[in-house]
Amino acid sequence: EGQANDVLNSQPLYLVELELNEHRLVVVPREGDDANAVSGYIWPSSMVLARLLSDRWPDVLRGQDVLELGSGQGVSGMFASKLGAKTVTLTDIGRASLLGLRANILANFAAETDLGSNSVTAEVSWEVASGSLRVRRYLWEDDHAALLGEISPRHWSKDTWACSAAGPPKLEDGSLFPVVIAADVLYFANQVQALSTVLSCRLAVGGFGLLVLPVRRPAVFSAFVDSLESNGVVLLANEVVMLDSKDKLLLDSGAMHETPNVSEVRVLRVTRRGPPGPMHS
């Protein structure tokens, strides 16, 4: 979560309200070191993704099971739920991210029956609204290792808390989703193959994948695009998108943050045509 070093401003210590047409969300502020983790910020791409789903592909979500990768604050996934998705599974890996996701879904979706009279149990608090919105721990490299028949890699996120009853459940092995969404999830070269494999393993054949990716390192972005076909993922569209005027105001106010090295923001629309893993001609 070292990308926070690139952020110019500190995380606001107040509740942030977001609007998408008639829909509203609040984002709960984080405290201490968690506030300055990458997932502690609201990134513009999450609102770009939500607005694209609302304005251009509203019918794609309705009644569907949706997976959000690298959810962070969960903005795109929570709006997907409000736009009519049957279920939304929000995923991330770090403790700060997962606890922040839980706080946000409870703040926006939990009914009194979810919360109980005094406190939220660990089991109940990772799912709300009868399971229509849930948080799962998901390390992309686990799927890549499984495809290769290798042991799951060691990772800093697999600590005592994450693997205990207090942590969220791991994303179920082999689960497929007709809709996969992601915003601002590609930073480094070592993520290229893992992210491509994720789409290959988690997007159902013929499914709808939508990624909003700020381009900070053009070579990394190009390598990711080039990796898709070999993993059975079909690139249907690759276009530049601009920030909405409302989101520019949020960015200018400090409610959202962006790094100074973004050259453009790209929208990738993908589907899957074959079995998971590398394709062979």
Side-chain angles (χ1 to χ4, degrees):
E1 301 193 350
Q3 280 294 110
N5 294 330
D6 292 333
V7 179
L8 297 179
N9 302 309
S10 60
Q11 170 75 352
L13 297 177
Y14 53 84
L15 206 68
V16 176
E17 297 184 2
L18 301 174
E19 297 183 1
L20 179 64
N21 301 327
E22 72 273 21
H23 304 294
R24 303 288 185 275
L25 286 179
V26 295
V27 175
V28 179
R30 301 185 188 176
E31 299 179 353
D33 292 340
D34 290 351
N36 291 317
V38 171
S39 61
Y41 295 91
I42 303 172
W43 298 91
S45 294
S46 62
M47 282 304 299
V48 171
L49 176 54
R51 293 190 191 283
L52 286 170
L53 291 170
S54 176
D55 297 343
R56 294 173 59 176
W57 294 288
D59 295 336
V60 168
L61 290 176
R62 295 192 185 107
Q64 297 294 335
D65 296 316
V66 177
L67 173 67
E68 184 182 20
L69 304 172
S71 297
Q73 292 279 20
V75 170
S76 304
M78 290 190 293
F79 272 129
S81 181
K82 288 182 175 287
L83 290 169
K86 179 182 177 182
T87 67
V88 177
T89 300
L90 302 135
T91 64
D92 218 306
I93 195 59
R95 178 173 180 168
S97 307
L98 296 164
L99 289 173
L101 281 172
R102 179 173 67 176
N104 283 335
I105 66 171
L106 290 175
N108 287 281
F109 293 89
E112 291 300 319
T113 53
D114 291 310
L115 295 172
S117 56
N118 296 311
S119 62
V120 183
T121 66
E123 180 179 358
V124 172
S125 65
W126 299 110
E127 296 187 11
V128 297
S130 301
S132 65
L133 209 75
R134 61 188 197 145
V135 176
R136 292 292 183 267
R137 180 170 55 90
Y138 180 36
L139 179 64
W140 300 350
E141 288 81 0
D142 284 344
D143 277 342
H144 187 58
L147 275 178
L148 299 176
E150 298 176 351
I151 298 174
S152 179
R154 297 179 64 182
H155 193 266
W156 60 265
S157 65
K158 297 179 180 180
D159 58 12
T160 302
W161 173 83
C163 299
S164 71
K170 180 176 175 287
L171 182 65
E172 295 79 1
D173 291 340
S175 56
L176 295 173
F177 296 82
V179 179
V180 175
I181 60 175
D184 205 346
V185 294
L186 183 65
Y187 311 114
F188 307 114
N190 61 6
Q191 294 177 299
V192 166
Q193 188 56 50
L195 181 55
S196 188
T197 299
V198 163
L199 295 173
S200 176
C201 290
R202 297 297 180 169
L203 182 61
V205 172
F208 177 90
L210 193 66
L211 296 85
V212 176
L213 302 176
V215 179
R216 297 185 178 89
R217 298 172 174 87
V220 172
F221 176 78
S222 296
F224 172 67
V225 171
D226 292 343
S227 74
L228 294 173
E229 184 177 4
S230 63
N231 282 284
V233 179
V234 179
L235 180 63
L236 301 175
N238 176 3
E239 58 188 85
V240 176
V241 65
M242 305 302 293
L243 201 62
D244 184 272
S245 58
K246 295 178 181 178
D247 299 328
K248 288 181 180 178
L249 291 175
L250 286 171
L251 187 60
D252 292 340
S253 72
M256 292 197 303
H257 299 269
E258 187 54 276
T259 59
N261 60 334
V262 173
S263 59
E264 60 183 0
V265 179
R266 286 271 171 179
V267 178
L268 304 184
R269 185 162 52 92
V270 301
T271 190
R272 203 185 109 206
R273 62 179 171 86
M279 303 289 291
H280 302 285
S281 57

